[in-house]
Amino acid sequence: MAWALFSGRALLWRRSERRLDTERELRAALDNRLVLLFFGAARCPRCREFEPRLRRFCSRLTEPAHVERPEQLRLVYLGQERSEREHREYLRAMPRTWMALPYRDAAFARELADRFGVSQLPAVVVLAPSGAVLVPDAVREIRASGPSCFAGWRQAAELLDRNFQEPQEQEREGSAPLRSLTEPLRRWKYRTHPEEDEEEEEEEQEE
Protein backbone atom coordinates (compact mmCIF):
# COMPACT_ATOMS: atom_id res chain seq x y z
CA MET A 1 0.00 0.00 0.00
CA ALA A 2 1.18 3.53 -0.78
CA TRP A 3 0.73 4.71 2.81
CA ALA A 4 3.04 1.91 4.04
CA LEU A 5 5.93 3.68 2.31
CA PHE A 6 5.98 6.06 5.29
CA SER A 7 5.25 3.49 7.99
CA GLY A 8 7.30 4.20 11.10
CA ARG A 9 7.94 7.79 10.00
CA ALA A 10 6.15 11.11 10.32
CA LEU A 11 4.59 13.40 7.74
CA LEU A 12 3.89 17.09 8.19
CA TRP A 13 0.56 18.51 7.09
CA ARG A 14 -1.04 21.94 6.84
CA ARG A 15 2.31 23.76 6.67
CA SER A 16 3.70 21.80 9.63
CA GLU A 17 0.75 22.61 11.89
CA ARG A 18 -0.07 18.90 12.12
CA ARG A 19 2.25 15.96 12.47
CA LEU A 20 1.04 12.52 11.45
CA ASP A 21 3.22 9.84 13.02
CA THR A 22 0.96 6.90 13.82
CA GLU A 23 -0.12 4.14 11.43
CA ARG A 24 -3.75 5.11 11.96
CA GLU A 25 -3.12 8.75 10.99
CA LEU A 26 -1.02 7.86 7.96
CA ARG A 27 -3.63 5.39 6.71
CA ALA A 28 -6.42 7.93 7.17
CA ALA A 29 -4.48 10.52 5.16
CA LEU A 30 -3.12 8.31 2.35
CA ASP A 31 -5.15 5.10 2.10
CA ASN A 32 -7.32 4.56 -0.99
CA ARG A 33 -5.81 7.57 -2.78
CA LEU A 34 -3.47 8.18 -5.68
CA VAL A 35 -0.30 9.55 -4.12
CA LEU A 36 1.99 12.02 -5.87
CA LEU A 37 5.57 12.04 -4.61
CA PHE A 38 6.91 15.48 -5.47
CA PHE A 39 10.71 15.66 -5.48
CA GLY A 40 11.88 19.27 -5.58
CA ALA A 41 14.05 21.89 -3.95
CA ALA A 42 13.55 25.55 -3.12
CA ARG A 43 16.85 26.49 -4.80
CA CYS A 44 15.99 24.72 -8.08
CA PRO A 45 14.92 27.16 -10.87
CA ARG A 46 13.05 24.42 -12.77
CA CYS A 47 11.14 23.52 -9.60
CA ARG A 48 10.15 27.17 -9.02
CA GLU A 49 8.90 27.37 -12.61
CA PHE A 50 6.92 24.12 -12.38
CA GLU A 51 5.43 24.51 -8.91
CA PRO A 52 2.65 27.03 -9.78
CA ARG A 53 1.46 24.63 -12.47
CA LEU A 54 1.47 21.76 -9.96
CA ARG A 55 -0.45 23.89 -7.46
CA ARG A 56 -3.15 24.60 -10.05
CA PHE A 57 -3.22 20.92 -11.01
CA CYS A 58 -3.90 19.79 -7.43
CA SER A 59 -6.27 22.62 -6.65
CA ARG A 60 -8.51 21.98 -9.67
CA LEU A 61 -8.80 18.32 -8.71
CA THR A 62 -9.27 18.58 -4.95
CA GLU A 63 -10.71 21.94 -3.93
CA PRO A 64 -14.51 22.29 -3.65
CA ALA A 65 -14.30 25.69 -5.33
CA HIS A 66 -13.29 23.93 -8.57
CA VAL A 67 -14.93 20.50 -8.39
CA GLU A 68 -18.19 19.21 -6.98
CA ARG A 69 -16.56 15.96 -5.84
CA PRO A 70 -12.86 16.22 -4.92
CA GLU A 71 -10.63 13.48 -6.30
CA GLN A 72 -8.90 10.96 -4.06
CA LEU A 73 -5.48 12.50 -4.44
CA ARG A 74 -2.69 13.35 -2.02
CA LEU A 75 0.66 15.02 -2.65
CA VAL A 76 3.72 14.39 -0.48
CA TYR A 77 6.65 16.78 -0.84
CA LEU A 78 10.07 15.14 -0.54
CA GLY A 79 12.39 18.12 -0.30
CA GLN A 80 15.97 17.97 -1.49
CA GLU A 81 17.01 21.18 0.28
CA ARG A 82 20.54 21.68 1.57
CA SER A 83 19.53 23.15 4.93
CA GLU A 84 16.71 22.90 7.44
CA ARG A 85 16.11 26.63 7.13
CA GLU A 86 15.50 26.34 3.38
CA HIS A 87 13.17 23.43 3.98
CA ARG A 88 11.22 25.21 6.72
CA GLU A 89 10.73 28.31 4.58
CA TYR A 90 9.41 26.19 1.72
CA LEU A 91 6.92 24.41 3.98
CA ARG A 92 5.55 27.73 5.22
CA ALA A 93 4.67 28.73 1.66
CA MET A 94 3.39 25.43 0.26
CA PRO A 95 -0.37 24.68 -0.03
CA ARG A 96 -1.99 23.59 3.21
CA THR A 97 -3.34 20.39 1.66
CA TRP A 98 0.12 19.14 0.70
CA MET A 99 2.05 16.86 3.02
CA ALA A 100 5.81 16.77 3.51
CA LEU A 101 8.57 14.64 4.93
CA PRO A 102 10.39 16.47 7.78
CA TYR A 103 13.92 17.71 7.09
CA ARG A 104 15.34 15.32 9.69
CA ASP A 105 14.31 12.55 7.29
CA ALA A 106 16.22 14.10 4.36
CA ALA A 107 18.30 10.92 4.05
CA PHE A 108 15.08 8.91 3.57
CA ALA A 109 13.92 11.41 0.91
CA ARG A 110 17.18 10.80 -0.96
CA GLU A 111 16.71 7.05 -0.53
CA LEU A 112 13.25 7.32 -2.10
CA ALA A 113 14.68 9.38 -4.96
CA ASP A 114 17.14 6.55 -5.65
CA ARG A 115 14.46 3.88 -5.27
CA PHE A 116 12.18 5.54 -7.83
CA GLY A 117 14.97 6.43 -10.23
CA VAL A 118 14.69 10.20 -9.89
CA SER A 119 17.50 11.66 -11.97
CA GLN A 120 16.53 15.33 -12.07
CA LEU A 121 14.36 17.90 -10.30
CA PRO A 122 11.48 18.44 -10.34
CA ALA A 123 10.02 14.94 -10.50
CA VAL A 124 6.52 13.66 -9.70
CA VAL A 125 6.12 9.91 -9.13
CA VAL A 126 2.49 8.76 -9.30
CA LEU A 127 1.57 5.81 -7.06
CA ALA A 128 -1.63 3.75 -7.15
CA PRO A 129 -3.33 3.10 -3.78
CA SER A 130 -1.68 -0.33 -3.87
CA GLY A 131 1.75 1.36 -3.98
CA ALA A 132 2.46 0.37 -7.60
CA VAL A 133 4.14 3.02 -9.75
CA LEU A 134 1.67 4.33 -12.33
CA VAL A 135 3.94 7.02 -13.79
CA PRO A 136 7.69 7.19 -12.99
CA ASP A 137 7.75 10.95 -13.66
CA ALA A 138 4.58 12.87 -14.52
CA VAL A 139 6.12 16.35 -14.84
CA ARG A 140 5.90 16.40 -18.63
CA GLU A 141 2.37 14.97 -18.58
CA ILE A 142 1.17 17.57 -16.06
CA ARG A 143 2.72 20.35 -18.14
CA ALA A 144 1.10 19.11 -21.37
CA SER A 145 -2.34 17.94 -20.21
CA GLY A 146 -3.03 19.51 -16.83
CA PRO A 147 -5.79 17.97 -14.67
CA SER A 148 -7.17 15.94 -17.59
CA CYS A 149 -4.35 13.39 -17.23
CA PHE A 150 -5.66 12.39 -13.78
CA ALA A 151 -8.56 10.45 -15.31
CA GLY A 152 -6.09 8.17 -17.12
CA TRP A 153 -4.15 7.56 -13.91
CA ARG A 154 -7.33 6.70 -12.03
CA GLN A 155 -8.46 4.26 -14.73
CA ALA A 156 -5.03 2.64 -14.79
CA ALA A 157 -5.13 2.23 -11.00
CA GLU A 158 -8.58 0.63 -11.22
CA LEU A 159 -7.47 -1.73 -13.99
CA LEU A 160 -4.37 -2.65 -12.02
CA ASP A 161 -6.45 -3.52 -8.97
CA ARG A 162 -8.62 -5.76 -11.15
CA ASN A 163 -5.54 -7.55 -12.57
CA PHE A 164 -6.52 -6.22 -15.99
CA GLN A 165 -3.34 -7.36 -17.73
CA GLU A 166 -1.66 -10.51 -16.53
CA PRO A 167 2.13 -10.95 -17.06
CA GLN A 168 1.61 -13.70 -19.67
CA GLU A 169 -0.64 -11.34 -21.64
CA GLN A 170 2.20 -8.81 -21.82
CA GLU A 171 4.56 -11.56 -23.05
CA ARG A 172 2.05 -12.63 -25.72
CA GLU A 173 1.98 -9.07 -27.04
CA GLY A 174 5.78 -9.09 -27.22
CA SER A 175 5.78 -5.55 -25.90
CA ALA A 176 8.79 -3.51 -24.89
CA PRO A 177 9.15 -2.57 -21.20
CA LEU A 178 6.41 -0.14 -20.21
CA ARG A 179 7.28 3.47 -19.60
CA SER A 180 4.30 3.73 -17.24
CA LEU A 181 1.28 1.68 -16.18
CA THR A 182 -1.00 3.99 -18.16
CA GLU A 183 0.55 2.60 -21.37
CA PRO A 184 -1.50 -0.65 -21.34
CA LEU A 185 -4.61 1.49 -20.92
CA ARG A 186 -3.78 3.47 -24.06
CA ARG A 187 -3.09 0.24 -25.98
CA TRP A 188 -6.34 -1.34 -24.85
CA LYS A 189 -8.32 1.80 -25.67
CA TYR A 190 -7.32 1.70 -29.32
CA ARG A 191 -7.41 -2.09 -29.82
CA THR A 192 -11.16 -2.38 -30.36
CA HIS A 193 -10.89 -5.59 -32.44
CA PRO A 194 -8.03 -7.69 -31.01
CA GLU A 195 -9.10 -10.76 -33.04
CA GLU A 196 -8.55 -8.79 -36.28
CA ASP A 197 -5.05 -7.90 -35.13
CA GLU A 198 -4.27 -11.58 -34.54
CA GLU A 199 -5.59 -12.57 -38.02
CA GLU A 200 -3.42 -9.91 -39.65
CA GLU A 201 -0.36 -11.20 -37.76
CA GLU A 202 -1.07 -14.79 -38.95
CA GLU A 203 -1.45 -13.64 -42.57
CA GLU A 204 1.88 -11.79 -42.39
CA GLN A 205 3.62 -14.92 -41.05
CA GLU A 206 2.17 -17.09 -43.88
CA GLU A 207 3.48 -14.64 -46.49
Side-chain angles (χ1 to χ4, degrees):
M1 296 297 170
W3 69 266
L5 195 63
F6 301 100
S7 181
R9 300 185 182 273
L11 287 176
L12 304 177
W13 195 19
R14 299 189 180 278
R15 297 176 185 165
S16 303
E17 291 175 11
R18 286 193 60 189
R19 182 186 184 87
L20 311 181
D21 55 9
T22 68
E23 181 176 316
R24 183 178 178 180
E25 290 173 325
L26 291 171
R27 289 190 69 148
L30 299 175
D31 202 20
N32 199 33
R33 297 175 185 269
L34 265 67
V35 177
L36 307 187
L37 303 180
F38 175 34
F39 295 87
R43 68 184 183 281
C44 166
R46 290 190 304 274
C47 298
R48 290 197 299 270
E49 183 274 330
F50 173 68
E51 191 198 306
R53 195 181 300 264
L54 183 60
R55 284 176 180 247
R56 288 193 298 272
F57 175 87
C58 292
S59 139
R60 292 193 175 279
L61 289 168
T62 60
E63 291 185 7
H66 298 294
V67 287
E68 185 176 340
R69 183 181 177 185
E71 295 287 359
Q72 294 292 92
L73 174 71
R74 185 74 74 197
L75 183 144
V76 180
Y77 176 67
L78 301 169
Q80 308 292 301
E81 281 81 21
R82 293 172 179 169
S83 70
E84 185 172 5
R85 182 167 142 318
E86 259 186 8
H87 188 72
R88 195 165 52 242
E89 287 176 357
Y90 183 87
L91 296 191
R92 286 199 200 104
M94 79 178 190
R96 292 173 60 82
T97 54
W98 291 11
M99 305 179 78
L101 198 65
Y103 182 77
R104 66 180 180 81
D105 273 337
F108 181 58
R110 290 191 293 272
E111 179 185 319
L112 290 178
D114 290 339
R115 183 186 305 183
F116 291 109
V118 173
S119 58
Q120 64 177 7
L121 302 179
V124 177
V125 179
V126 184
L127 301 181
S130 64
V133 177
L134 291 176
V135 186
D137 189 358
V139 168
R140 185 175 297 179
E141 199 170 347
I142 291 171
R143 287 183 193 275
S145 306
S148 62
C149 62
F150 181 83
W153 302 347
R154 184 179 55 206
Q155 286 179 307
E158 290 170 356
L159 293 174
L160 183 68
D161 288 343
R162 295 171 189 167
N163 295 318
F164 171 68
Q165 191 172 42
E166 297 294 337
Q168 61 268 27
E169 189 176 349
Q170 293 181 15
E171 291 172 9
R172 180 172 58 79
E173 290 183 356
S175 59
L178 302 180
R179 285 171 293 181
S180 73
L181 285 177
T182 58
E183 194 172 330
L185 178 66
R186 291 194 291 272
R187 289 180 188 165
W188 172 76
K189 181 178 178 182
Y190 294 107
R191 286 189 63 184
T192 53
H193 301 288
E195 66 281 358
E196 292 180 6
D197 293 345
E198 290 175 3
E199 288 174 4
E200 288 176 5
E201 287 176 7
E202 288 175 3
E203 288 175 4
E204 288 177 2
Q205 288 175 1
E206 289 176 2
E207 292 175 1

